[in-house]
Amino acid sequence: MAEFTHFYELFQPSHYNLYIDINRETKTISGQSIITGEAKDTAIAIHQKYLTINSVKVADQAVPFAVDNDQDAINVTLPNAGKVTVVIDYTAPLTDTMMGIYPSYYELDGVKKQLIGTQFETNAARQAFPCVDEPEAKATFDVAIKFDEHEGETVLGNMPEIKTENGVHYFDTTVRMSTYLIAFAFGDMRAKETTTKSGVKIGVFATKAHKANELDFALDIAKRSIEFYEDFYQTPYPLPHSWQLALPDFSAGAMENWGLVTYREACLLIDPDNTSLGVKQYVATVIAHELAHQWFGDLVTMKWWDDLWLNESFANMMEYVAIDALEPDWHIWEVFQTSEAPAALQRDATDGVQSVHVQVEDPAEIDSLFDGAIVYAKGARLLVMVRALIGDDALRAGLKNYFTKHQYGNATGADLWSALGAAANLDVGSIMSSWLEQPGYPVVTAAVVDSQLTLNQKQFFVGAGQDVGRQWQVPLNSNYAVAPKIFSDETIVLGDYQQLRKENGVPFRVNVGNDSHFIVKYDDVLMHDILNDVTNLSAIDQLQILQDQRLLAEGRQISYASVVPLLLQFADSQSNIVNTALYRVANDLKKFVAPDSVEEESLKTLFNQLSAAQVTRLGWLPKAGESNDDQLTRPYVLVAALYAENPDSIAAAHDLFVAHQNELSSLPADIRPYVLRNEVQHFGNAKLFDQLLTAYQTTSDSSYQSGLSAAITSTSDAALIAQLIEKFEDADTIKPQDLRGWFYRLLANKDGQQAAWDWIRNRWGWLQETVGGDMEFTTYITVIANVFHTPQRLAEFKEFFEPKLNTPGLTREITMDTKVIETRVDLVESEKDDVNAAIAQLTI
Ligand code: BES
Ligand code: ZN
């Protein structure tokens, strides 16, 4: 068959009868897939991967078939085209890949146990049962599951169970849906349930290694999210239940299977009595993200994987829209500004980055093309831009029509633009295509040229970039009415600057609110005007100034040293996001100083200057009734004070450790990681190392675990580092799903870097075997590129990764990351003297 024919063109299933028997003891699966559909030809193809096909029958008669593993196909020859029912018997191994049907491992009261779950997106349903595994091939499904069942185990599916007969669990027939959204799970579980206003059952499920109250937060957010979306989308949730299930082993963060959403434990369960606000906000946005997909993605699905971005960027925007409605006091859009916006602006400034919309045929390629910063962060930013352009009323009206028109079917990006465009009476598609089909984004330069206020757009690069004259339709969002709504030329002259300034009474600005995907470079005159009164701007606008200046410095459009004095101007801010941006810049200065040098001494002094008053104001312990901003700011300033080796702060953290040493988990979650890290760094020994590692292995609280990991990896003791490296390959201590975090933290520790770097180079083969099939595998390379900044490491990086350039799936990441490190090394080499002089000047 021709390469990458969509199997759906030849065979269109309408209904599946699936029977799947899973044996945990023997680690085998055997099953039968009965597919009824319309064959367009007598030669059809059905997907399978890693399955052993025993027979293919039509009307009780065996029909000829051939397995083609290169195409993940069973090529079947039918007696006739037209309506047909194909019966396929198969077996498969049950493997630990976190894909298809797979076991998750956990311990309860010292006994090792497992929970079986599934992960099918993008193309692993074919590992569980033969099917036409393409998003457009929607059908209804009757699923029946059998397994080596023990008393009291729970079985979950997309739909409710309707009966159990002879140990077989039968689920109700699904609505018309895509294969990648099928899910089921079973094992010993604990549950909490409730019901929405409209009667949808909501449930949260986890292993019994978790306390019952760890499920409460998720239950509340899930319930209110479903209620929110029913109202916002003006479209009812179409299934009887919405289950949220935490799986102990999970490759991604979460997965929107229709009616049975699966999560990494850290993304669903929290200790309601001791979890930081930041973690609560994160978990809430993950749940809201997956539940946004129940409509956008599940009810209406992209026609093909080239529009996966549409699914993900939309859900990524909606998680903020929903949580902003559910928890208005959180000001969750501020988090969008400190996480998604900088991620998108950074990645998208590297030449060679992909565009949001990428043509893709080979489904194996879609995984390797999956660049989170682009697909999620940039995509969401573009949709935020659309929302700002058309407003919520048109967005909701357009979505309602979109859902009505395409429900239980498929759609493309163009279908969405036409629905939104019709509601808003605006050609959304043509504005968006400049953003979706082109990589990168512009820097808009605002300058007074010959007394005229002038704007110009040009692609912005961090590092070498080839200017090919790209232009965008830029929603300007200026505070001066004279600026156009959409700036689509290269240059525009707005008029006499002095006169405009007088008329408007405030400094000239564009991208007010930072909702558009571009950065601004003001000339000195305009920048001075803004900085004169900068602390009266909104927090987002202040953050934007810092963020844009940092990027301009990285892009070598302004000197890095000129950013340094800005820091003190913002240091007293009581806004969490201004502090996030401030400490992002401050921490970025660390790459310019060698460890333990005179320059680092000065930098530490600067950190002390920045943080001292705030540490006094906020103190170490959360105060009753304090603002969210104070809660969220505290960690930044304490971490800064500890980096500065402020003796009072070191002592205060140590005192807290001592006071809680019998029950470290009882340290307030907001500051727990830093108290633990301080202890390891200043008072650490082998005994403490063991204590923390044991706590890591025994706690069920993921946020506590991540603090423990941050502390353990901060040791400077070579013997302990060697011990830790040994644990990297011990899945009973560090689960493969969590290994990247451990590796990253050790690599970022100056005393652990060599050991971590040696480990990954020596054990690359092992790593590839263990997590190589995972679509997040390439992020091991990304984290290395986040850390390295010296010529020596750059050379070593190239020496190791260049020979791997042709490894399928790694090419793009290696190329991008080589460039990222090269650019950073260049920046450090050429700017470090000036930067250090600027730091020294502030700290004399
Ligand atoms: N559908 C995705 C997960 C996914 C994407 C699986 C592509 C396989 C291929 C899910 O909705 C998702 O986006 N999960 C995120 C968490 C989210 C809150 C950003 C993840 O796993 O990182
Ligand atoms: Zn998603």
Side-chain angles (χ1 to χ4, degrees):
M1 230 171 5
E3 247 191 330
F4 310 132
T5 319
H6 293 189
F7 291 6
Y8 182 66
E9 286 164 21
L10 297 169
F11 181 40
Q12 291 154 10
S14 52
H15 183 73
Y16 288 79
N17 248 306
L18 302 178
Y19 169 80
I20 304 177
D21 182 352
I22 298 147
N23 191 310
R24 289 171 286 192
E25 279 292 306
T26 59
K27 290 197 172 285
T28 52
I29 299 167
S30 63
Q32 187 178 61
S33 181
I34 304 177
I35 316 172
T36 301
E38 178 75 21
K40 296 289 172 198
D41 193 339
T42 53
I44 63 165
I46 294 168
H47 284 108
Q48 69 76 34
K49 195 171 182 185
Y50 309 137
L51 304 183
T52 303
I53 305 300
N54 300 323
S55 67
V56 180
K57 289 185 183 159
V58 172
D60 255 351
Q61 299 293 311
V63 295
F65 72 93
V67 170
D68 177 352
N69 283 324
D70 288 341
Q71 303 284 332
D72 290 358
I74 317 167
N75 293 320
V76 177
T77 310
L78 298 172
N80 303 102
K83 186 161 178 168
V84 63
T85 296
V86 185
V87 180
I88 305 174
D89 283 333
Y90 65 97
T91 57
L94 179 66
T95 53
D96 295 339
T97 53
M98 297 191 269
M99 308 251 270
I101 305 169
Y102 72 91
S104 275
Y105 300 99
Y106 68 102
E107 237 180 73
L108 183 64
D109 302 328
V111 181
K112 288 197 170 159
K113 305 192 67 159
Q114 46 176 295
L115 208 133
I116 302 292
T118 56
Q119 169 59 40
F120 292 167
E121 191 180 15
T122 45
N123 52 20
R126 65 191 69 173
Q127 297 184 33
F129 54 89
C131 55
V132 177
D133 195 11
E134 292 165 0
E136 198 181 356
K138 287 197 174 187
T140 52
F141 294 79
D142 281 323
V143 182
I145 307 280
K146 186 172 185 299
F147 57 101
D148 45 350
E149 191 167 352
H150 309 304
E151 178 82 31
E153 288 188 301
T154 304
V155 195
L156 302 175
N158 303 89
M159 295 295 287
E161 188 178 328
I162 41 171
K163 63 173 180 188
T164 311
E165 242 170 48
N166 304 325
V168 182
H169 297 265
Y170 294 87
F171 294 99
D172 208 350
T173 310
T174 68
V175 293
R176 194 163 183 272
M177 63 186 286
S178 304
T179 48
Y180 80 91
L181 294 167
I182 295 287
F184 50 84
F186 53 85
D188 191 17
M189 296 179 206
R190 104 160 51 251
K192 282 267 174 96
E193 291 184 29
T194 185
T195 309
T196 65
K197 284 192 280 214
S198 63
V200 180
K201 279 193 189 165
I202 306 290
V204 177
F205 298 80
T207 72
K208 289 180 179 158
H210 294 278
K211 293 194 272 309
N213 69 358
E214 289 178 51
L215 282 55
D216 293 341
F217 179 78
L219 189 70
D220 172 58
I221 296 289
K223 170 177 182 275
R224 293 194 291 136
S225 295
I226 294 280
E227 288 172 348
F228 170 79
Y229 290 126
E230 286 201 317
D231 173 57
F232 190 88
Y233 293 147
Q234 298 164 76
T235 308
Y237 179 79
L239 307 183
H241 68 225
S242 170
W243 298 155
Q244 330 299 317
L245 165 65
L247 289 171
D249 290 289
F250 199 80
S251 156
M255 176 65 212
E256 70 268 26
N257 315 300
W258 214 356
L260 176 53
V261 183
T262 45
Y263 298 80
R264 185 180 270 254
E265 291 181 334
C267 291
L268 188 69
L269 308 173
I270 63 153
D271 173 356
D273 300 323
N274 194 14
T275 296
S276 70
L277 178 58
V279 169
K280 284 186 192 164
Q281 292 177 335
Y282 175 67
V283 169
T285 52
V286 175
I287 296 169
H289 175 109
E290 302 311 332
L291 296 180
H293 276 314
Q294 304 298 298
W295 287 260
F296 203 101
D298 296 5
L299 180 62
V300 179
T301 309
M302 71 249 134
K303 204 170 156 90
W304 183 248
W305 295 113
D306 64 329
D307 271 331
L308 178 58
W309 71 271
L310 186 62
N311 246 8
E312 294 309 340
S313 359
F314 191 86
N316 201 14
M317 170 177 74
M318 286 310 296
E319 67 190 64
Y320 293 92
V321 174
I323 296 303
D324 194 37
L326 302 191
E327 298 289 343
D329 292 346
W330 285 358
H331 301 292
I332 201 73
W333 281 106
E334 296 190 349
V335 175
F336 188 85
Q337 292 291 351
T338 53
S339 57
E340 320 287 345
L345 290 168
Q346 194 79 32
R347 183 78 169 179
D348 204 23
T350 305
D351 203 11
V353 71
Q354 68 194 56
S355 53
V356 172
H357 181 234
V358 204
Q359 284 303 337
V360 53
E361 268 310 314
D362 180 358
E365 223 173 69
I366 187 80
D367 284 0
S368 76
L369 282 182
F370 201 83
D371 183 334
I374 297 304
V375 172
Y376 288 80
K378 179 180 180 182
R381 223 165 131 67
L382 301 187
L383 292 174
V384 165
M385 208 158 81
V386 171
R387 181 178 179 230
L389 271 177
I390 68 174
D392 254 359
D393 289 345
L395 175 67
R396 293 180 62 181
L399 281 173
K400 181 172 191 250
N401 289 339
Y402 175 81
F403 289 131
T404 309
K405 183 156 178 208
H406 301 287
Q407 59 184 337
Y408 304 108
N410 299 79
T412 62
D415 294 322
L416 180 68
W417 305 140
S418 79
L420 298 184
N425 205 7
L426 184 75
D427 188 356
V428 179
S430 82
I431 297 174
M432 290 316 288
S433 80
S434 67
W435 295 97
L436 294 166
E437 310 296 336
Q438 304 189 102
Y441 62 89
V443 49
V444 171
T445 302
V448 182
V449 183
D450 298 334
S451 77
Q452 299 291 305
L453 183 54
T454 308
L455 301 182
N456 164 279
Q457 63 160 306
K458 195 174 170 50
Q459 184 169 3
F460 177 70
F461 296 107
V462 170
Q466 205 192 345
D467 198 327
V468 293
R470 292 193 177 103
Q471 280 186 21
W472 288 265
Q473 301 214 23
V474 186
L476 273 183
N477 212 11
S478 172
N479 60 344
Y480 282 21
V482 65
K485 197 168 166 164
I486 305 280
F487 170 40
S488 41
D489 303 319
E490 192 182 342
T491 305
I492 182 175
V493 177
L494 298 180
D496 182 78
Y497 172 63
Q498 289 305 341
Q499 197 182 331
L500 286 169
R501 178 67 179 82
K502 209 182 288 159
E503 275 167 25
N504 285 279
V506 287
F508 174 73
R509 298 185 50 240
V510 286
N511 204 6
V512 175
N514 207 28
D515 279 338
S516 292
H517 187 55
F518 69 93
I519 61 171
V520 195
K521 181 182 178 188
Y522 297 99
D523 74 0
D524 287 348
V525 174
L526 299 172
M527 193 65 186
H528 264 118
D529 199 18
I530 293 170
L531 287 178
N532 257 337
D533 199 21
V534 72
T535 43
N536 278 331
L537 291 180
S538 77
I540 287 180
D541 292 341
Q542 292 184 49
L543 153 136
Q544 180 190 27
I545 306 263
L546 277 165
Q547 215 167 68
D548 286 8
Q549 292 299 106
R550 173 176 63 76
L551 284 160
L552 290 168
E554 287 189 31
R556 312 295 283 279
Q557 302 222 3
I558 61 175
S559 91
Y560 216 106
S562 73
V563 185
V564 176
L566 275 183
L567 295 178
L568 288 172
Q569 219 170 326
F570 294 92
D572 291 331
S573 173
Q574 300 198 2
S575 150
N576 152 54
I577 61 164
V578 173
N579 280 295
T580 308
L582 164 71
Y583 282 103
R584 166 75 196 263
V585 177
N587 285 314
D588 277 3
L589 296 177
K590 292 178 183 169
K591 62 176 171 280
F592 293 99
V593 302
D596 307 318
S597 60
V598 190
E599 288 79 17
E600 193 182 33
E601 270 314 297
S602 298
L603 183 60
K604 287 182 174 178
T605 309
L606 176 61
F607 268 68
N608 222 353
Q609 277 171 240
L610 292 172
S611 60
Q614 297 267 31
V615 171
T616 310
R617 178 174 78 85
L618 295 168
W620 270 84
L621 290 177
K623 299 186 178 111
E626 70 184 352
S627 69
N628 290 344
D629 272 292
D630 284 354
Q631 265 181 70
L632 293 165
T633 299
R634 178 175 292 106
Y636 285 109
V637 299
L638 297 181
V639 169
L642 291 178
Y643 171 72
E645 297 191 79
N646 179 301
D648 294 341
S649 293
I650 293 175
H654 180 54
D655 289 348
L656 278 165
F657 179 87
V658 172
H660 291 263
Q661 64 183 329
N662 295 327
E663 189 45 72
L664 294 175
S665 64
S666 71
L667 280 161
D670 302 76
I671 57 160
R672 191 169 49 198
Y674 318 111
V675 172
L676 297 176
R677 198 167 68 187
N678 182 65
E679 201 61 21
V680 168
Q681 287 177 335
H682 297 286
F683 309 93
N685 54 33
K687 187 169 151 262
L688 177 64
F689 181 87
D690 289 341
Q691 183 188 2
L692 299 184
L693 206 55
T694 308
Y696 179 86
Q697 282 179 275
T698 44
T699 183
S700 66
D701 179 350
S702 307
S703 93
Y704 181 35
Q705 275 192 321
S706 92
L708 287 161
S709 160
I712 296 167
T713 49
S714 72
T715 180
S716 52
D717 182 324
L720 298 179
I721 289 170
Q723 267 188 48
L724 180 56
I725 291 272
E726 274 179 31
K727 303 285 183 203
F728 277 16
E729 293 171 47
D730 167 17
D732 287 337
T733 307
I734 298 175
K735 281 178 169 288
Q737 65 164 14
D738 299 319
L739 181 54
R740 186 188 43 235
W742 281 87
F743 166 71
Y744 183 23
R745 291 177 177 123
L746 190 62
L747 192 80
N749 167 359
K750 68 180 165 51
D751 300 309
Q753 186 168 102
Q754 190 63 45
W757 180 220
D758 288 344
W759 172 76
I760 203 163
R761 283 180 295 176
N762 292 331
R763 302 298 294 161
W764 186 258
W766 174 85
L767 193 66
Q768 207 155 18
E769 243 165 62
T770 316
V771 289
D774 198 310
M775 67 185 283
E776 314 239 340
F777 179 56
T778 56
T779 53
Y780 275 91
I781 312 175
T782 322
V783 301
I784 300 173
N786 279 346
V787 173
F788 284 0
H789 59 269
T790 62
Q792 187 201 333
R793 290 293 189 223
L794 170 63
E796 291 169 359
F797 181 92
K798 283 187 179 169
E799 187 184 316
F800 184 69
F801 283 113
E802 270 173 5
K804 299 186 171 39
L805 257 173
N806 292 328
T807 314
L810 298 189
T811 313
R812 179 184 292 270
E813 197 57 39
I814 295 174
T815 313
M816 289 280 289
D817 287 337
T818 307
K819 199 168 224 171
V820 165
I821 307 173
E822 266 167 2
T823 303
R824 192 178 301 123
V825 168
D826 252 15
L827 175 78
V828 170
E829 294 305 301
S830 43
E831 304 265 317
K832 70 177 175 211
D833 292 344
D834 290 350
V835 167
N836 284 317
I839 295 172
Q841 222 191 348
L842 291 179
T843 56
I844 355 178

